[in-house]
Amino acid sequence: MVKGIRVVRGTCPTFAPGIDQGLLMEARIPRIERMLTRRNAWIALGLLALLTACAAFALRNVRVDYDFEKFFPKSDPELDRYLEFRERFGYDNDFLLFGIEREEGVFDRVLLTKADSLAARLERLPLVMKVLSPTRLSEPIVTPLGVFETPYLRFAQDSLLAIDSARIWNDPRIKDFFFSDDGKAMLVALNAEPGLSKEKCDVLLADVRRTLVETGLSDARIVGRIVGQDHYIITMVKETLFFLSASIVLLAIFLWFGFRSLYGVWIPIAVVGLAILWQVSFMTALGKPLGILTMLLPTILFVVGMSDVVHLLECYLEEIRRGVPRIRAIAITYHEVGLPTFLTAVTSGIGFATLGTASIPPLQEFGVYTAIGVLVAFCLAFTLLPALLILTDPQKLLPRKDEGSPWDGRLPVLFRWTIRNRRRILLGFAIISVLGIAGASRIKVNNYLLEDLPNDDPLKEGFVWFEETFGGVRPFELEINVPDSGHSVWELAVLKEIEKVQGHLDTTYDVDGMASPVTVMYSLNKAFNGGDRSYYR
């Protein structure tokens, strides 16, 4: 009996050959066989079906998150400084910019009427704080009789429009902010309420797009965080479904070549697919959305979790080919391969869990939830898989023609070649490692998110257009502090120093559209001198 067991045991990997291992197997396998009954299999499937139904119900609340601020490391002094700055001066990215084009020039009465109607309608939308449009701006002029407001654009009459357009072209406050250098494009800016959630951003964006259609400006370009968030989330969902589908198809092809039966394809995919469903549902139940990194979790789990199922199934089929009865073949398989697959799952989980020590929250979540997913896949491989094997005819898992694999003759040849050339192989890997270290030292880190998108992507094309036409959409804010608490930025000496900084930015970097306490004083000086352009200083 011991001798026969040793022959069977030799079909699958084990830790230590010999009589002792065979005797140990003789003692344990009957206990495993007693648990592998059709009744227990149906009970396991019923419990798993109940848990799966709960998991599927939880999926109705699944959310996708797009928040790059979560990638800021915790307890970073620069992050604290940024949050303090934002608390004092407000958010700098809760805006939408609308680029309106006309090849013949934007100073057209019909076009400006549409732009003015757009600004008026946008201002009445919920979640909108302010809308800036050159058609709704006016310049104050202080006279002995009082303060008068003069509109920058009197577009109701073509004769006044020509005069106002020439005046705007000499006023950097309006021209640099709202018009392109060639006069063929203009801007309308919308400031939304700060810190809007994803749901509120979607509502606002839908209202904005409907308003553009109603005003006849549906072809206007839009950029801003709200648009980028919507586009990136849609892109992430599409790409996640694409890569998950691609991985399923590729693994199905390899499973077919490996097992050459339909049951050998769908059973492993079903086990791992259920693990993915459970993991995503678990995150959803905890209120955790799928983020930029955790969107990769289904694809990674599908590939990593498949290894345990394939090892178990292959060992089981080897026993079946040797004529071992079904229940005993399952018992031998889980006795022989159980511990190695357990160690594989644990070490993989530990590897992912180490990311939980990172200071960046998305990395922490990705590592922890992926580690949990690996262990969930392992648990299903030891519950769902044996239940399916008990209830499935083993012959359905075997190919109709049991032909030898082409690798049966090639792998021994490759092994002998490896043994003969072991020193050369080690030397080659050492050279590759040195080159890899040298190459890794030249890696450059950047935050150019648009480079992740193809050149023909609508969002990227829109941002590139704004970069080329208006100098970009990303604001640069410079904080100026007066060290002595007894002084302020409104003192003449401080204002002159700020003026030097502005002059440096203008002459050295050709920066347009600057706003500061100095430009406020310029505007006041001009207003108190009857609006004379020469007093804008």
Side-chain angles (χ1 to χ4, degrees):
M1 178 66 70
V2 172
K3 196 171 185 180
I5 294 174
R6 289 183 62 192
V7 171
V8 172
R9 181 187 52 76
T11 62
C12 296
T14 188
F15 287 101
I19 279 287
D20 294 340
Q21 183 72 9
L23 291 173
L24 184 62
M25 203 171 150
E26 177 71 13
R28 289 181 177 176
I29 285 182
R31 291 202 300 268
I32 300 176
E33 285 182 285
R34 285 193 292 270
M35 294 185 292
L36 298 173
T37 63
R38 295 181 66 88
R39 176 175 176 273
N40 290 341
W42 283 113
I43 292 174
L45 288 179
L47 293 175
L48 293 175
L50 180 61
L51 291 174
T52 302
C54 296
F57 183 74
L59 278 181
R60 75 191 193 282
N61 296 321
V62 66
R63 294 182 295 115
V64 181
D65 181 42
Y66 170 91
D67 188 359
F68 279 99
E69 288 190 5
K70 291 183 179 179
F71 283 88
F72 295 152
K74 292 181 178 179
S75 304
D76 189 337
E78 288 299 322
L79 176 60
D80 296 337
R81 178 178 174 83
Y82 167 71
L83 295 177
E84 181 184 355
F85 176 89
R86 192 172 66 180
E87 185 70 23
R88 290 203 303 265
F89 298 103
Y91 286 69
D92 62 349
N93 60 352
D94 287 311
F95 63 84
L96 286 175
L97 296 181
F98 303 86
I100 302 172
E101 296 178 90
R102 183 173 180 269
E103 188 62 30
E104 298 81 7
V106 294
F107 291 103
D108 174 73
R109 181 169 55 86
V110 176
L111 181 66
L112 292 175
T113 302
K114 290 181 179 180
D116 186 68
S117 176
L118 172 65
R121 287 170 176 258
L122 292 176
E123 205 161 25
R124 291 195 295 267
L125 292 178
L127 308 176
V128 175
M129 296 184 65
K130 182 190 295 186
V131 177
L132 297 176
S133 170
T135 61
R136 305 178 71 82
L137 295 178
S138 59
E139 181 180 27
I141 297 177
V142 182
T143 69
L145 299 178
V147 180
F148 296 90
E149 296 282 342
T150 302
Y152 278 103
L153 275 174
R154 293 167 291 182
F155 52 89
Q157 301 179 27
D158 291 333
S159 58
L160 294 177
L161 183 58
I163 297 173
D164 291 341
S165 62
R167 181 164 57 93
I168 285 175
W169 225 246
N170 292 319
D171 192 333
R173 296 172 299 173
I174 305 301
K175 188 266 178 185
D176 292 346
F177 275 99
F178 292 100
F179 295 95
S180 62
D181 292 336
D182 58 8
K184 295 181 180 181
M186 63 176 287
L187 277 182
V188 174
L190 179 152
N191 285 333
E193 292 181 2
L196 291 179
S197 63
K198 171 65 171 58
E199 292 75 15
K200 291 184 177 180
C201 286
D202 291 341
V203 172
L204 177 58
L205 186 58
D207 290 340
V208 165
R209 285 173 171 162
R210 185 181 63 253
T211 304
L212 287 170
V213 174
E214 293 172 352
T215 54
L217 294 172
S218 56
D219 57 344
R221 301 176 185 267
I222 318 175
V223 294
R225 181 185 69 89
I226 297 173
V227 178
Q229 173 181 263
D230 179 74
H231 185 82
Y232 263 93
I233 286 178
I234 293 175
T235 303
M236 285 193 302
V237 172
K238 288 181 179 178
E239 292 191 351
T240 298
L241 294 176
F242 171 77
F243 286 118
L244 182 59
S245 302
S247 63
I248 292 175
V249 171
L250 289 175
L251 285 172
I253 293 173
F254 282 106
L255 288 172
W256 172 260
F257 280 106
F259 296 111
R260 285 169 291 175
S261 68
L262 290 177
Y263 280 81
V265 174
W266 77 260
I267 287 181
I269 291 178
V271 174
V272 181
L274 198 61
I276 295 172
L277 172 65
W278 283 20
Q279 179 59 25
V280 175
S281 301
F282 175 68
M283 292 180 59
T284 303
L286 294 180
K288 296 290 184 181
L290 291 175
I292 298 170
L293 287 180
T294 49
M295 289 289 287
L296 303 172
L297 194 147
T299 305
I300 292 176
L301 279 184
F302 198 86
V303 176
V304 175
M306 187 62 68
S307 62
D308 292 342
V309 181
V310 170
H311 279 99
L312 292 168
L313 193 57
E314 177 60 28
C315 189
Y316 167 73
L317 293 178
E318 282 293 317
E319 299 297 331
I320 294 296
R321 291 188 184 98
R322 292 180 176 274
V324 180
R326 180 194 315 180
I327 300 299
R328 188 167 183 83
I330 298 174
I332 293 174
T333 296
Y334 279 83
H335 178 270
E336 291 291 339
V337 190
L339 183 58
T341 53
F342 172 74
L343 293 177
T344 301
V346 170
T347 52
S348 299
I350 292 174
F352 284 113
T354 54
L355 294 175
T357 60
S359 60
I360 299 175
L363 276 178
Q364 296 174 352
E365 294 180 0
F366 174 75
V368 171
Y369 288 117
T370 306
I372 294 174
V374 171
L375 297 180
V376 168
F378 171 81
C379 292
L380 285 175
F382 276 73
T383 52
L384 177 60
L385 181 59
L388 293 175
L389 294 179
I390 291 173
L391 301 174
T392 303
D393 184 0
Q395 298 306 316
K396 294 182 178 180
L397 291 166
L398 295 173
R400 293 181 180 179
K401 292 184 179 180
D402 195 4
E403 300 175 354
S405 172
W407 290 101
D408 292 343
R410 296 174 182 173
L411 287 178
V413 175
L414 178 61
F415 176 73
R416 288 191 294 269
W417 180 87
T418 303
I419 296 299
R420 288 195 302 269
N421 298 277
R422 55 187 180 275
R423 288 190 175 87
R424 296 178 182 176
I425 293 173
L426 290 175
L427 179 61
F429 272 94
I431 295 173
I432 294 173
S433 299
V434 172
L435 294 176
I437 294 173
S441 64
R442 300 174 62 86
I443 291 178
K444 296 181 180 179
V445 180
N446 65 58
N447 60 348
Y448 303 144
L449 302 178
L450 291 178
E451 290 186 357
D452 296 334
L453 301 174
N455 292 330
D456 59 349
D457 185 87
L459 180 68
K460 186 172 184 178
E461 289 179 344
F463 272 90
V464 170
W465 182 83
F466 274 90
E467 290 280 352
E468 295 174 349
T469 308
F470 294 102
V473 299
R474 293 169 293 183
F476 178 82
E477 297 180 331
L478 178 66
E479 181 182 7
I480 297 175
N481 294 298
V482 182
D484 191 348
S485 59
H487 299 276
S488 74
V489 294
W490 298 107
E491 294 186 9
L492 180 60
V494 178
L495 290 172
K496 287 184 176 294
E497 293 300 318
I498 298 176
E499 189 178 37
K500 292 179 183 178
V501 175
Q502 287 194 193
H504 174 72
L505 294 175
D506 186 17
T507 57
T508 305
Y509 299 102
D510 197 24
V511 175
D512 291 329
M514 286 184 283
S516 73
V518 169
T519 57
V520 173
M521 299 306 295
Y522 285 176
S523 300
L524 288 174
N525 191 35
K526 181 181 178 183
F528 275 99
N529 287 276
D532 189 343
R533 175 69 181 88
S534 62
Y535 285 91
Y536 186 72
R537 63 179 189 269

